[in-house]
Amino acid sequence: MSTLTLIDSLLEKDSMEEASAHLDALDVTNMSEEEKAYFYLLKTSYCKETNETCISDSFINKSITYYEQSSDKKKLVRAYCIRSYFLYDTEKAPEAILQLKKAEELAEKEKDNKLLVQVYSCLSSYNLFSGNIRAALSYARKTKSHAL
């Protein structure tokens, strides 16, 4: 298992301290473009999960740029979701929802329930916070149906 895959599994298991140690130990200068995109995806995912401030959105933007050109659409969905989180957090709700709609379209094509749950859950929350109760409930139902 590569270090990046290990970090991904640690983040999924909510082992943040261990993931952080591995992230901090990596040097991106000698990584391939694919590895850098994955590293930036993981780093911003870590920032999101721990509420750590990322210096800028350039990391996730680099991941998105790479994954938009690659065949790994699952990582692109994840990157769109993470970008939406940072956009929403900086009071750019309409842009955040547009990112999630892109993620939704790709996740539906991929037929990946885990990604669909992530996307629908975020769309439900963002719509709820924006006062769009009907859309929030609709996405909550979709979340439930794909989580089972």
Side-chain angles (χ1 to χ4, degrees), residues 99-140:
Q99 288 297 295
L100 284 173
K101 294 302 285 180
K102 286 182 183 181
E104 177 185 27
E105 184 180 321
L106 284 172
E108 287 173 348
K109 285 180 186 174
E110 292 293 318
K111 298 181 191 259
D112 186 310
N113 281 339
K114 184 177 174 183
L115 289 174
L116 286 167
V117 166
Q118 181 182 7
V119 172
Y120 293 150
S121 176
C122 286
L123 280 165
S124 178
S125 296
Y126 292 177
N127 277 290
L128 180 64
F129 297 146
S130 299
N132 191 343
I133 305 302
R134 283 184 197 234
L137 287 172
S138 174
Y139 283 113

Side-chain angles (χ1 to χ4, degrees), residues 15-27:
S15 299
M16 296 303 159
E17 286 184 31
E18 197 173 346
S20 177
H22 286 288
L23 283 166
D24 291 343
L26 289 176
D27 179 12

Side-chain angles (χ1 to χ4, degrees), residues 18-122:
E18 197 173 346
S20 177
H22 286 288
L23 283 166
D24 291 343
L26 289 176
D27 179 12
V28 296
T29 56
N30 295 320
M31 289 183 181
S32 68
E33 291 305 307
E34 180 180 11
E35 290 169 326
K36 286 178 185 177
Y38 195 18
F39 172 82
Y40 295 139
L41 175 67
L42 297 174
K43 182 66 175 172
T44 52
S45 180
Y46 171 81
C47 289
K48 175 187 169 286
E49 294 302 321
T50 61
N51 292 317
E52 183 178 299
T53 304
C54 285
I55 296 169
S56 73
D57 60 358
S58 66
F59 280 178
I60 199 61
N61 290 340
K62 288 176 183 179
S63 289
I64 288 171
T65 299
Y66 178 83
Y67 290 123
E68 285 178 334
Q69 304 304 314
S70 84
S71 62
D72 195 338
K73 298 309 176 195
K74 290 181 180 185
K75 286 189 179 118
L76 180 57
V77 170
R78 290 172 62 190
Y80 283 151
C81 287
I82 292 167
R83 182 194 272 167
S84 78
Y85 171 82
F86 288 109
L87 287 168
Y88 196 86
D89 198 44
T90 57
E91 299 181 14
K92 297 175 184 171
E95 290 175 56
I97 290 173
L98 285 175
Q99 288 297 295
L100 284 173
K101 294 302 285 180
K102 286 182 183 181
E104 177 185 27
E105 184 180 321
L106 284 172
E108 287 173 348
K109 285 180 186 174
E110 292 293 318
K111 298 181 191 259
D112 186 310
N113 281 339
K114 184 177 174 183
L115 289 174
L116 286 167
V117 166
Q118 181 182 7
V119 172
Y120 293 150
S121 176
C122 286

